Structure formats: structure tokens, C-alpha cells
Amino acid sequence: MAAAEEASRPFAGLSDVSISEDIPVEGDISVPVGSSRRDDEFSTLDEPVKETILRDLRAVGNKFIHVLYPKRSSALLRDWDLWGPLLLCVTLALLLQGGAADSDDQGGPQFAEVFVIVWFGSIIITLNSKLLGGTISFFQSLCVLGYCIMPLTVAMAVCRIVLISGSGNVSFAVRLVVVTVSFGWSTFASTAFLADSQPPNRKALVVYPVFLFYFVIGWMILTFSPSQ
Amino acid sequence: DPEASTLSGGGRGEDVKLDLSEDEEGQEESSELLGGQKPTGGFWTFEYYESFFNVDTVQVLDRVKGSVLPLPGRNFIKHYLRSNPDLYGPFWICVTLVFSVAISGNLSTFLGEMGNPSYHYRPQFHRVTIAAVVIFMYAWLVPIGLWGFLTWRQGTERQIGGYSFLETVCVYGYSLFIYIPTSVLWIIPFEWLRWTLILVAMVISGSVLVLTFWPVVRDDTKVMAVAYSCDHCGFTHPAGRRL
């Protein structure tokens, strides 16, 4: 049939269409060279693994230094990461083991209890500061609170060293001083980072839970008693 | 008329927001009409919970002070909360109380056994878990029960003027504040002092609650009120003894 023949060659009617010579048609369908150069800067797929690890370690170490010398800088807030808090939490929980916890259940906190207190405590404090109208984001706040545990972890290490030499009154006095100083340092460092993000008439409402959090951690460190 | 309230209609029958002028009259009017501050948004949104934390430092300190000094005639809810109940106070007072009870209990055990040469100090961390369960159950389940009971009684007798759930929880939370210094002072190892402290704390805490709830309960049968207060004392007594 003529109609079917027409249907089988749908573009037959266009065979005589041509573009006249005086309408320039130009274009470039190749990929511009510049964008691939930009991609290379962000693409870290080809670099050696050592460099990837070292970059993250350097970022974590940089934040440790910011906690040691707390100034009003935004480096901790801008590039937050949770590696540092995880490392510190695991170290603290491991150091709190080996106490008088194996024989009976009247001992110190278990590994999981330390984890729960640190992470759930940080989450609750972050929620509290956000509900009170804070402008800091969830993970930034977790990052700050986790990194500021560092003085207390250092104090825990010092306490264990002191306890090796003895557990009398002198060692208790030394441990008390060390834990108190590090607790004050932690609270001061974290409020230096967090205080700017709160409305001024609610600053104390946000600082108090942070104070309580580090107080409880300091208490766990101070009451660590080695097994006999 | 600059003191008039303006009504801005919401679309499609959703929340109607009431714009009020800044004077006291306007605010008290609205609180009587609406029965308290209505939270915006559904309970799955963040803004809903933000409305429960709408307090300043000064307000929280004021409410704490009001819970420690219960003056007769000062209804805690009417005088201090003023249709702005918050969850910050009850929650953080409960948390602080949990840790202060656990820590001071541990310290008083230590001081009590100091002369005993065979005693080896233990942190007794399990006290935190027990204290947390007991205190949070008291601060949340008892208000739920009381609020449900009062609402049911009012429903049958068609009375108005009850308290919202949040206000009940708020009063209970703030009334627990007096136990924090009490638990710290419990470290002092004198029995007579401890009993005096716990009695004083129970009287103060109880009177805050009584001053708040008596006007609502007094119209009801006196038996209910007495039964409730016995139950309340029966709870705090073993909780104090556990130390």
C-alpha cells in the first residue's frame, strides 16, 4: 500500500532539505580543557593512601592544638570531624578499664558505660543548645565537645601513672589537683567555642550542662581505683 | 487603637496566628483565652519542642528560687510559670539530682567506712543507673498520673481551670530542686542531721506541690487529696533511705 510505504520511510519527505550557505552553523562539542583541571584538584582518588591518612591526621592534630590553646577561632567549627572525639573516647574508656571492676559489680564504669555517657551526653547537650536557640550545627557541637575531652584524657593518663607509684593520700591529692585543673580547662575551652553561638541571655543555660558533663567525666577519672 | 489585637487568618484552615500587642493586658487576655502557650507546628517538627525551651537564664533562676521558698498564697504555676512552662528546668534538675545522689551516696559510704581497714574504695557506678531510673520515673510518671487523674475528675464534674500536662511536669521538676543541696549535705555523717535535712526538704518540696494543686483538689473530695499526699510521702521516704 502506498500509505505503508510512506510510513516505512518516515523521513523521506525531508531528503531535499538543506541549509543554505549563508547561515553559519558552528559549535564545539569537545569538553573544555579547563574543567578537567579543576576536577584534578578535588579528586583524591589517585593519591597514595599514606597521603590520605596523613591529611586527616594533620587535621585532627591541628584541632588538638586548638584545644590546647583555646582562642576564639573558627577552625574547629568550620572543618569539623568526629575522628578526634572517637579516638579520645576510646582512649578514655580503655584507660578506665582494669580498675576494681572485674571482681564485683561495685566497681567503676564499664567500657560501654563510658561510651554511652560521652556520646549520649554530647548529643543531649547539643540538642539542648539547639533547642535554646543556638546557631551551631549538630555535628559542629559534637566535634567541639568531643575534642575538649582531651585535657581530661591526658589527666586520666597522668592519674594512672601516679597510681603506679602508690595510692595513698599524697597520690590522691596530686590526682585531685590534676583532674580539677583539666576539668576547668575542658570547660573553659568548650565554652570559648560554644559561647558565641548562643543568644546572650541564655549563655548560662547552655554552659551549665557542659559544666555538668565534664564534672561527671572528671568524677569518673578521680574515683578510678586500681584493682589490688 | 494601638492596643487592639490583630487576627491574621491562616490559609486552608491551618494554624491561626494571633498577633498581640506588647502590653501586659494583652498577654493575660490571650493566656486566659487560649489556656496557655500553644506550640507551633506538629509534634514531629523541631519548632514544637523549641517552644518548650523558651526561657532565659533569669527566668530559670527565678523559678528555682520560687521552688525553694514556697510562700503561702503563691501558686507556682500561676506566679512563676505564667503560661510559659519549660522543659529545661525539669530535665536538667533531674539529671543533676541523679548525679548528686549517686556521688554523695558513694562519698557517704566511703566516709562511713573510713575507719575500716578491710574496706577498699569502690566507685559504685551502678548507683547512677538506679538513681536515674527512680528519679526520672518520679518526675515523669507521677505528673502523668496526676494530670490524667485531675483531667478525668474535671471531665466528670465539668469544672474548668485545670493545669496542662506540661505545667504539671514543670512543677514537679522544679520542686525536686531542693533535694540537690540536701543530697550534698547528706555526706555529713550525723544521723540526726540527715533526718532533719530530709524532713525539711520533703516539707519544702511538698508545700510547693500542695500550694499549686490544693486549689484544684480542694473542690474535690478530701479523701483523694489525703490519699495522694500519703502516696507522695511514701515515695520520697524510701528514696531518701536508699542513701
Side-chain angles (χ1 to χ4, degrees):
Chain A
M1 295 269 297
E5 237 184 75
E6 281 296 322
S8 67
R9 292 181 295 140
F11 298 118
L14 297 175
S15 59
D16 56 347
V17 170
S18 63
I19 299 172
S20 60
E21 294 292 326
D22 53 358
I23 300 178
V25 175
E26 44 186 284
D28 188 358
I29 58 172
S30 65
V31 177
V33 181
S35 70
S36 70
R37 209 181 308 127
R38 278 202 310 273
D39 277 346
D40 277 342
E41 280 174 11
F42 294 141
S43 155
T44 54
L45 206 56
D46 296 326
E47 65 177 11
V49 174
K50 179 182 82 162
E51 192 158 316
T52 313
I53 295 178
L54 276 182
R55 183 176 53 239
D56 281 336
L57 278 180
R58 255 182 254 124
V60 169
N62 191 29
K63 291 198 194 56
F64 279 150
I65 294 176
H66 275 278
V67 173
L68 278 179
Y69 303 110
K71 337 181 258 289
R72 290 259 161 100
S73 78
S74 57
L76 217 87
L77 295 181
R78 225 180 20 236
D79 313 314
W80 59 267
D81 71 273
L82 291 178
W83 283 114
L86 183 66
L87 197 64
L88 287 169
C89 187
V90 168
T91 310
L92 185 64
L94 283 176
L95 286 174
L96 276 169
Q97 295 310 298
D102 43 4
S103 49
D104 52 7
D105 65 342
Q106 294 227 338
Q110 304 296 319
F111 187 89
E113 278 173 337
V114 176
F115 244 81
V116 161
I117 284 188
V118 169
W119 287 100
F120 269 108
S122 304
I123 290 175
I124 289 177
I125 293 176
T126 306
L127 279 178
N128 177 63
S129 89
K130 283 191 76 69
L131 283 169
L132 281 171
T135 54
I136 200 171
S137 93
F138 184 75
F139 286 108
Q140 280 174 347
S141 175
L142 281 186
C143 170
V144 167
L145 288 169
Y147 270 102
C148 289
I149 292 182
M150 191 186 70
L152 283 165
T153 311
V154 168
M156 181 69 213
V158 169
C159 282
R160 283 211 81 153
I161 296 173
V162 168
L163 276 170
I164 291 177
S165 62
S167 58
N169 286 338
V170 172
S171 94
F172 177 73
V174 168
R175 281 186 289 141
L176 181 66
V177 167
V178 166
V179 169
T180 310
V181 165
S182 61
F183 155 69
W185 196 344
S186 287
T187 312
F188 172 69
S190 63
T191 50
F193 291 115
L194 290 178
D196 288 337
S197 66
Q198 292 299 320
N201 51 345
R202 294 182 182 181
K203 274 204 188 2
L205 293 184
V206 172
V207 167
Y208 171 70
V210 175
F211 169 87
L212 188 65
F213 176 62
Y214 290 127
F215 181 81
V216 167
I217 296 182
W219 172 258
M220 286 198 301
I221 292 174
L222 188 62
T223 60
F224 175 78
S225 61
S227 52
Q228 295 293 13
Chain B
D1 187 0
E3 294 180 359
S5 315
T6 57
L7 186 72
S8 56
R12 297 172 293 279
E14 282 186 299
D15 289 342
V16 171
K17 295 208 169 34
L18 202 62
D19 280 339
L20 299 171
S21 51
E22 286 291 294
D23 58 321
E24 272 296 319
E25 270 184 291
Q27 284 181 359
E28 287 200 12
E29 242 181 48
S30 78
S31 66
E32 278 166 14
L33 287 174
L34 295 178
Q37 199 181 30
K38 280 271 161 54
T40 58
F43 66 89
W44 57 89
T45 60
F46 195 71
E47 288 75 28
Y48 180 78
Y49 298 103
E50 247 182 16
S51 60
F52 301 147
F53 281 76
N54 193 16
V55 277
D56 295 336
T57 310
V58 180
Q59 283 175 315
V60 170
L61 290 176
D62 200 34
R63 291 171 187 193
V64 163
K65 190 173 58 97
S67 75
V68 172
L69 303 167
L71 300 175
R74 284 224 183 145
N75 187 327
F76 189 83
I77 290 183
K78 291 279 186 296
H79 190 79
Y80 289 101
L81 293 189
R82 288 192 201 204
S83 312
N84 188 19
D86 67 302
L87 279 181
Y88 177 90
F91 181 73
W92 286 109
I93 289 175
C94 286
V95 170
T96 311
L97 187 61
V98 163
F99 285 111
S100 79
V101 160
I103 289 176
S104 63
N106 186 224
L107 279 178
S108 61
T109 311
F110 170 67
L111 288 176
E113 303 265 354
M114 217 161 54
N116 189 350
S118 67
Y119 173 73
H120 184 67
Y121 172 75
R122 295 254 186 279
Q124 290 176 317
F125 206 70
H126 65 285
R127 280 179 183 263
V128 174
T129 321
I130 297 176
V133 168
V134 166
I135 288 170
F136 272 91
M137 262 177 39
Y138 172 73
W140 292 86
L141 291 188
V142 172
I144 289 178
L146 181 67
W147 171 77
F149 178 71
L150 286 178
T151 310
W152 169 65
R153 296 295 290 190
Q154 278 157 19
T156 57
E157 298 185 20
R158 271 180 288 274
Q159 283 176 3
I160 54 169
Y163 301 126
S164 74
F165 170 63
L166 208 57
E167 288 169 335
T168 317
V169 166
C170 202
V171 160
Y172 266 86
Y174 278 103
S175 74
L176 282 177
F177 177 81
I178 186 65
Y179 290 111
I180 297 178
T182 307
S183 66
V184 170
L185 290 174
W186 257 67
I187 300 177
I188 305 172
F190 294 125
E191 277 300 313
W192 59 269
L193 181 66
R194 290 180 174 179
W195 282 111
T196 317
L197 282 172
I198 195 76
L199 271 174
V200 166
M202 275 173 56
V203 162
I204 291 180
S205 169
S207 54
V208 169
L209 295 171
V210 161
L211 284 173
T212 306
F213 288 107
W214 187 253
V216 179
V217 173
R218 134 185 88 196
D219 299 329
D220 208 331
T221 60
K222 297 259 187 302
V223 175
M224 293 289 177
V226 170
Y228 166 68
S229 51
C230 287
D231 185 45
H232 180 264
C233 292
F235 177 85
T236 50
H237 178 257
R241 282 280 296 184
R242 211 190 45 76
L243 278 179

Tab-separated table of all heavy atoms in Angstrom, chain B residues 1 5 18 25 27 35 41 52 81 83 91 94 102 117 136 151 173 177-178 192 206 230-231 240 242-243:
chain	number	residue	atom	x	y	z
B	1	ASP	N	-6.668	52.130	67.331
B	1	ASP	CA	-6.487	51.657	68.704
B	1	ASP	C	-5.208	50.808	68.756
B	1	ASP	O	-5.194	49.677	68.264
B	1	ASP	CB	-7.692	50.800	69.099
B	1	ASP	CG	-7.624	50.433	70.569
B	1	ASP	OD1	-6.639	50.858	71.227
B	1	ASP	OD2	-8.506	49.735	71.026
B	5	SER	N	-5.824	43.705	69.345
B	5	SER	CA	-5.160	42.504	68.824
B	5	SER	C	-5.546	42.367	67.365
B	5	SER	O	-6.685	42.574	66.982
B	5	SER	CB	-5.636	41.271	69.568
B	5	SER	OG	-5.654	41.520	70.928
B	18	LEU	N	-2.075	34.606	66.210
B	18	LEU	CA	-2.684	35.783	66.813
B	18	LEU	C	-1.570	36.771	67.101
B	18	LEU	O	-0.678	36.485	67.854
B	18	LEU	CB	-3.379	35.347	68.108
B	18	LEU	CG	-4.482	36.213	68.643
B	18	LEU	CD1	-5.607	36.284	67.660
B	18	LEU	CD2	-4.964	35.638	69.941
B	25	GLU	N	-1.767	43.533	79.588
B	25	GLU	CA	-3.184	43.188	79.460
B	25	GLU	C	-3.401	42.222	78.315
B	25	GLU	O	-4.090	41.236	78.425
B	25	GLU	CB	-3.987	44.457	79.168
B	25	GLU	CG	-4.484	45.164	80.399
B	25	GLU	CD	-5.331	46.347	79.998
B	25	GLU	OE1	-4.782	47.314	79.454
B	25	GLU	OE2	-6.536	46.286	80.211
B	27	GLN	N	-1.358	40.183	76.984
B	27	GLN	CA	-0.810	38.840	77.185
B	27	GLN	C	-1.680	38.050	78.134
B	27	GLN	O	-1.937	36.877	77.916
B	27	GLN	CB	0.598	38.952	77.744
B	27	GLN	CG	1.589	39.350	76.677
B	27	GLN	CD	2.984	39.441	77.217
B	27	GLN	OE1	3.219	39.221	78.396
B	27	GLN	NE2	3.912	39.780	76.361
B	35	GLY	N	-5.658	29.365	77.075
B	35	GLY	CA	-5.328	28.348	78.053
B	35	GLY	C	-3.856	27.998	78.046
B	35	GLY	O	-3.483	26.875	78.304
B	41	GLY	N	3.384	24.221	65.083
B	41	GLY	CA	3.828	23.047	64.345
B	41	GLY	C	3.363	21.754	64.983
B	41	GLY	O	2.865	21.720	66.104
B	52	PHE	N	9.184	24.661	74.075
B	52	PHE	CA	9.286	24.258	75.475
B	52	PHE	C	10.562	24.758	76.111
B	52	PHE	O	10.802	24.514	77.275
B	52	PHE	CB	9.255	22.734	75.600
B	52	PHE	CG	8.032	22.107	75.039
B	52	PHE	CD1	8.088	20.867	74.456
B	52	PHE	CD2	6.818	22.762	75.070
B	52	PHE	CE1	6.964	20.287	73.929
B	52	PHE	CE2	5.690	22.182	74.545
B	52	PHE	CZ	5.762	20.941	73.971
B	81	LEU	N	5.273	30.348	86.467
B	81	LEU	CA	5.267	29.833	85.109
B	81	LEU	C	4.547	30.773	84.162
B	81	LEU	O	4.995	31.020	83.063
B	81	LEU	CB	4.618	28.444	85.064
B	81	LEU	CG	5.388	27.339	85.779
B	81	LEU	CD1	4.767	26.003	85.485
B	81	LEU	CD2	6.823	27.344	85.317
B	83	SER	N	1.972	30.684	82.180
B	83	SER	CA	1.674	30.188	80.834
B	83	SER	C	2.930	30.035	79.991
B	83	SER	O	2.848	30.055	78.776
B	83	SER	CB	0.711	31.102	80.089
B	83	SER	OG	-0.369	31.429	80.887
B	91	PHE	N	14.169	18.834	83.231
B	91	PHE	CA	15.126	17.849	82.732
B	91	PHE	C	16.480	17.989	83.399
B	91	PHE	O	17.050	17.009	83.903
B	91	PHE	CB	15.272	17.993	81.218
B	91	PHE	CG	16.222	17.009	80.631
B	91	PHE	CD1	15.866	15.692	80.514
B	91	PHE	CD2	17.486	17.393	80.225
B	91	PHE	CE1	16.748	14.771	80.001
B	91	PHE	CE2	18.371	16.477	79.710
B	91	PHE	CZ	18.001	15.165	79.593
B	94	CYS	N	16.570	17.082	87.098
B	94	CYS	CA	16.566	15.625	87.292
B	94	CYS	C	17.955	15.048	87.047
B	94	CYS	O	18.435	14.217	87.834
B	94	CYS	CB	15.569	14.960	86.345
B	94	CYS	SG	13.869	15.201	86.795
B	102	ALA	N	23.958	10.004	93.410
B	102	ALA	CA	24.901	8.893	93.262
B	102	ALA	C	26.259	9.243	93.865
B	102	ALA	O	26.861	8.445	94.590
B	102	ALA	CB	25.058	8.553	91.786
B	117	PRO	N	39.712	-1.079	108.175
B	117	PRO	CA	40.939	-1.327	107.398
B	117	PRO	C	40.719	-2.265	106.216
B	117	PRO	O	41.477	-2.233	105.262
B	117	PRO	CB	41.907	-1.942	108.426
B	117	PRO	CG	41.013	-2.486	109.484
B	117	PRO	CD	39.784	-1.644	109.527
B	136	PHE	N	13.763	9.698	87.384
B	136	PHE	CA	13.022	10.024	86.176
B	136	PHE	C	11.625	9.448	86.205
B	136	PHE	O	10.678	10.059	85.703
B	136	PHE	CB	13.795	9.567	84.936
B	136	PHE	CG	14.737	10.615	84.449
B	136	PHE	CD1	16.037	10.648	84.893
B	136	PHE	CD2	14.316	11.597	83.574
B	136	PHE	CE1	16.916	11.635	84.480
B	136	PHE	CE2	15.185	12.582	83.144
B	136	PHE	CZ	16.479	12.604	83.597
B	151	THR	N	-7.604	15.537	85.199
B	151	THR	CA	-8.393	15.799	83.989
B	151	THR	C	-9.646	14.935	83.980
B	151	THR	O	-10.725	15.390	83.599
B	151	THR	CB	-7.551	15.506	82.745
B	151	THR	OG1	-6.307	16.173	82.864
B	151	THR	CG2	-8.256	15.971	81.500
B	173	GLY	N	9.185	18.983	88.331
B	173	GLY	CA	10.617	19.092	88.076
B	173	GLY	C	11.271	20.131	88.964
B	173	GLY	O	12.299	19.880	89.608
B	177	PHE	N	14.185	20.482	93.033
B	177	PHE	CA	15.471	21.165	93.133
B	177	PHE	C	16.003	21.146	94.550
B	177	PHE	O	17.213	21.060	94.775
B	177	PHE	CB	15.344	22.604	92.633
B	177	PHE	CG	16.618	23.360	92.772
B	177	PHE	CD1	17.622	23.213	91.839
B	177	PHE	CD2	16.839	24.206	93.848
B	177	PHE	CE1	18.817	23.887	91.965
B	177	PHE	CE2	18.033	24.884	93.980
B	177	PHE	CZ	19.023	24.733	93.033
B	178	ILE	N	15.126	21.225	95.563
B	178	ILE	CA	15.593	21.329	96.942
B	178	ILE	C	16.378	20.085	97.347
B	178	ILE	O	17.230	20.136	98.235
B	178	ILE	CB	14.388	21.576	97.882
B	178	ILE	CG1	14.858	21.839	99.298
B	178	ILE	CG2	13.436	20.398	97.862
B	178	ILE	CD1	15.650	23.089	99.470
B	192	TRP	N	21.143	12.498	113.014
B	192	TRP	CA	20.069	13.442	113.319
B	192	TRP	C	20.028	14.539	112.258
B	192	TRP	O	18.968	15.020	111.856
B	192	TRP	CB	20.246	14.039	114.715
B	192	TRP	CG	21.538	14.756	114.899
B	192	TRP	CD1	22.705	14.240	115.352
B	192	TRP	CD2	21.804	16.132	114.603
B	192	TRP	NE1	23.678	15.202	115.374
B	192	TRP	CE2	23.160	16.365	114.909
B	192	TRP	CE3	21.028	17.192	114.136
B	192	TRP	CZ2	23.754	17.613	114.745
B	192	TRP	CZ3	21.632	18.427	113.958
B	192	TRP	CH2	22.981	18.626	114.267
B	206	GLY	N	7.109	19.369	99.214
B	206	GLY	CA	5.690	19.064	99.289
B	206	GLY	C	4.831	20.306	99.305
B	206	GLY	O	3.761	20.353	98.695
B	230	CYS	N	-0.220	10.973	100.912
B	230	CYS	CA	0.401	9.806	101.535
B	230	CYS	C	1.253	9.068	100.525
B	230	CYS	O	2.370	8.631	100.827
B	230	CYS	CB	-0.667	8.850	102.080
B	230	CYS	SG	-1.455	9.483	103.537
B	231	ASP	N	0.735	8.930	99.338
B	231	ASP	CA	1.471	8.246	98.289
B	231	ASP	C	2.776	8.977	97.990
B	231	ASP	O	3.833	8.368	97.838
B	231	ASP	CB	0.582	8.209	97.038
B	231	ASP	CG	1.221	7.411	95.942
B	231	ASP	OD1	1.734	6.331	96.254
B	231	ASP	OD2	1.208	7.881	94.802
B	240	GLY	N	14.844	8.491	99.955
B	240	GLY	CA	15.855	9.097	100.799
B	240	GLY	C	16.618	8.069	101.594
B	240	GLY	O	17.817	8.203	101.817
B	242	ARG	N	17.465	5.174	100.745
B	242	ARG	CA	18.393	4.370	99.950
B	242	ARG	C	19.806	4.907	100.036
B	242	ARG	O	20.765	4.188	99.782
B	242	ARG	CB	17.901	4.334	98.515
B	242	ARG	CG	18.236	3.072	97.788
B	242	ARG	CD	17.918	3.247	96.333
B	242	ARG	NE	18.392	4.527	95.825
B	242	ARG	CZ	19.655	4.800	95.537
B	242	ARG	NH1	20.589	3.908	95.739
B	242	ARG	NH2	19.995	5.973	95.069
B	243	LEU	N	19.922	6.195	100.390
B	243	LEU	CA	21.255	6.739	100.540
B	243	LEU	C	21.930	6.123	101.762
B	243	LEU	O	23.112	6.284	101.933
B	243	LEU	CB	21.183	8.259	100.737
B	243	LEU	CG	21.041	9.088	99.467
B	243	LEU	CD1	20.961	10.541	99.813
B	243	LEU	CD2	22.230	8.833	98.548
